[in-house]
Amino acid sequence: MSSSLPSPARPLLDELLDCPPGLLDTTFDQLRTLLVVYETGSALRAARALGREQSSVQKQLDTLNRNCQALCGEVLTLRQGRGKDFLFTPTGEGAARLARETLREWLDAVHLSRRRLGRMITVGTTEFTLPIVSRAWDLVAEELRQREVEFKVVHVRTKDLWSRLESKEMDLICGTIVSTPDGDRRLRDHEVVEYARGRAMLLTNLGEPELPGDTARTSDLAGLPLVVPPAGLIADFLACWYGPGFRERLNVVADIDDVHYGFSLLRSGFVRGCMIVTASIGRRMAERVEPGERPLRTLDLHDDLEPKAELMTGAFVRKADLERYDTGHPLNRLWHAVQEDARLYTTQP
């Protein structure tokens, strides 16, 4: 038989039974230490991050290096001198990537099992919708504490809401989205408890001669100087009315990373323009007048473009999750509490 023919693959069981002792002795704790050293650069900084002695971290690195030298012929890390970060060898770089993937997959699997078994529930919320979660949790807190359910709250920025909904990292999310006929269809796989709907306003430091009246049309935005963030509600509104390439069709005088910086720009007068905001934020900003700052005013925004867009604040959960779990599962219990809170909250005078 020709020696060029590939040898048959070894059965998996044979490979498992023949694992080298150095590999079998490697623990998750050692892999985590290796990753922390990789991220921080040194045993000292890793020890501080882990809350351990530097000697403990160095001992784990020495063990990993010794085992890797025996297994692969190369250590994972090299010291470069006092005060300098560790140098990771090519084998060390590969080991760090593999350790990251291994630990992430295991953590994801553990969290998934805990969620499925009702041992943990993760809720995402924006800053402004945190009270929804707080009120709903109060309705079931005692019951779920007695069942020793771990409750975790994650801060979600409004601009990341759609991606977080689709990522399945969280069981339930509360926030505000731009709602359109097309946008609502994106929620076809979710149950929604709606708390409020509203229209956007225009916040500006332009005076009456430049922008007269107390109302503007969405079609007027094409002729106004605009302050716009890269993503979030403002960008979503403009994309609805002017398409994904709205920056090429509009007069964007300032790109901002954060709406609070946009408020500061307008108040300083350094930029003269307008921002799309929610009604509550717009009124609050217009009422606040500080010495030396340019006063701001709001204009109602009349939507005369298609598709019609408005703000919708609510809670969102995947339909499949509610159907997958029984009615006593913590997620269903919390979702029922959200529904009850919405009923009480929206019917109050």
Side-chain angles (χ1 to χ4, degrees), residues 53-73:
E53 295 294 330
Q54 182 179 354
S55 58
S56 172
V57 171
Q58 188 61 58
K59 183 178 179 180
Q60 286 189 316
L61 279 183
D62 292 342
T63 299
L64 288 169
N65 278 331
R66 187 167 56 250
N67 288 341
C68 191
Q69 178 75 58
L71 288 168
C72 307

Side-chain angles (χ1 to χ4, degrees), residues 178-245:
V178 174
S179 177
T180 66
D182 288 338
D184 289 343
R185 281 197 285 272
R186 284 198 289 179
L187 291 169
R188 62 183 178 275
D189 295 328
H190 291 77
E191 291 287 348
V192 180
V193 170
E194 186 175 313
Y195 274 78
R197 281 187 178 264
R199 297 191 178 278
M201 299 187 78
L202 208 59
L203 182 70
T204 184
N205 60 5
L206 300 178
E208 282 280 348
E210 299 163 284
L211 185 56
D214 55 9
T215 302
R217 298 171 301 179
T218 52
S219 58
D220 295 333
L221 296 175
L224 296 175
L226 299 175
V227 176
V228 181
L233 295 176
I234 297 174
D236 287 347
F237 268 122
L238 293 173
C240 284
W241 295 322
Y242 290 92

Side-chain angles (χ1 to χ4, degrees), residues 107-129:
L107 286 171
D108 288 346
V110 168
H111 291 158
L112 183 62
S113 293
R114 285 174 60 81
R115 287 159 65 183
R116 176 177 57 83
L117 296 171
R119 304 296 297 172
M120 181 178 79
I121 188 166
T122 303
V123 175
T125 174
T126 64
E127 176 186 353
F128 300 106
T129 55

Side-chain angles (χ1 to χ4, degrees), residues 293-313:
E293 291 185 339
R294 183 174 293 275
L296 304 181
R297 63 191 183 100
T298 57
L299 288 82
D300 290 328
L301 200 52
H302 173 65
D303 192 352
D304 63 339
L305 296 176
E306 295 292 342
K308 302 301 181 186
E310 58 184 351
L311 294 164
M312 191 266 279
T313 298

Side-chain angles (χ1 to χ4, degrees), residues 3 9 19 52 66-67 81 101 108 125 133 137 139 141 170 181 195 232 261 263 272 279-280 286 302 314 322 327:
S3 60
C19 279
R52 294 180 174 177
R66 187 167 56 250
N67 288 341
E101 293 168 3
D108 288 346
T125 174
V133 175
W137 175 249
L139 297 176
M170 288 162 236
Y195 274 78
Y261 182 66
F263 300 149
R272 295 181 61 75
S280 58
H302 173 65
L322 295 179
T327 56

